[in-house]
Amino acid sequence: MKTKLTKMIMSSLTFACASVCLAAVMALGTSGTARADSREASCGVHTLRGSYLFATHGWNIVGGVAVPKAIVEGIDFNGDGTLISPFATVSINGTILHSSGSPGTYTLNADCTGTLSFTAGASFDIFVQANGKQLWMIQTGPMPAVFEGTATRLP
């Protein structure tokens, strides 16, 4: 009788533990889905606001030849689809260039993808972290290039 009672108690406890585990997994799965939905809905031009540092290197393709290029640049996003680059140091095949005050525009979709274009320069596809702290950029024009980098918001 005691063995039968012990087996019944153990079966009940096993069932209860399995039920609790299943409920926890379902709750975590639902919570993760809710976070993903809210992330998608959170991106827009307002996501990018403040000063960022863009550091990158790659190549321009000139006459079929890869020419090395590196940039360290400040980008100030205004949170409304406009930006300005207050400073940039560029090295193209070892020749150093400095610029400042370059304006531009950007778009940002709900899924945190978008575009960025400097008025007198390059254009990029961008991929933005939902909290706006970091974005990844890959050059899409105007000249052929293999050029990508990361911009990080400054404190």
Side-chain angles (χ1 to χ4, degrees):
M1 178 89 157
K2 194 174 188 180
T3 305
K4 191 173 187 178
L5 181 61
T6 303
K7 284 184 181 180
M8 248 173 66
I9 291 171
M10 292 304 289
S11 293
S12 295
L13 286 174
T14 302
F15 178 75
C17 287
S19 296
V20 168
C21 289
L22 179 59
V25 167
M26 287 174 56
L28 289 175
T30 303
S31 176
T33 301
R35 277 193 301 267
D37 289 344
S38 63
R39 183 195 85 80
E40 287 179 23
S42 68
C43 281
V45 292
H46 65 277
T47 305
L48 295 175
R49 177 178 290 280
S51 297
Y52 289 70
L53 185 64
F54 179 49
T56 183
H57 64 279
W59 298 270
N60 285 339
I61 309 301
V62 180
V65 176
V67 177
K69 173 170 75 171
I71 296 177
V72 174
E73 176 176 25
I75 303 174
D76 291 342
F77 290 94
N78 298 318
D80 63 0
T82 64
L83 63 88
I84 192 158
S85 172
F87 67 88
T89 301
V90 181
S91 174
I92 299 176
N93 206 27
T95 300
I96 304 298
L97 307 167
H98 295 94
S99 68
S100 63
S102 301
T105 59
Y106 65 96
T107 64
L108 195 55
N109 304 312
D111 68 355
C112 300
T113 63
T115 60
L116 182 152
S117 296
F118 291 100
T119 303
S123 57
F124 297 83
D125 279 352
I126 61 174
F127 308 90
V128 179
Q129 190 174 9
N131 62 12
K133 288 186 178 180
Q134 195 166 42
L135 64 143
W136 296 266
M137 302 168 55
I138 186 164
Q139 188 172 343
T140 56
M143 67 172 55
V146 179
F147 196 66
E148 64 79 30
T150 304
T152 304
R153 185 168 50 212
L154 300 173

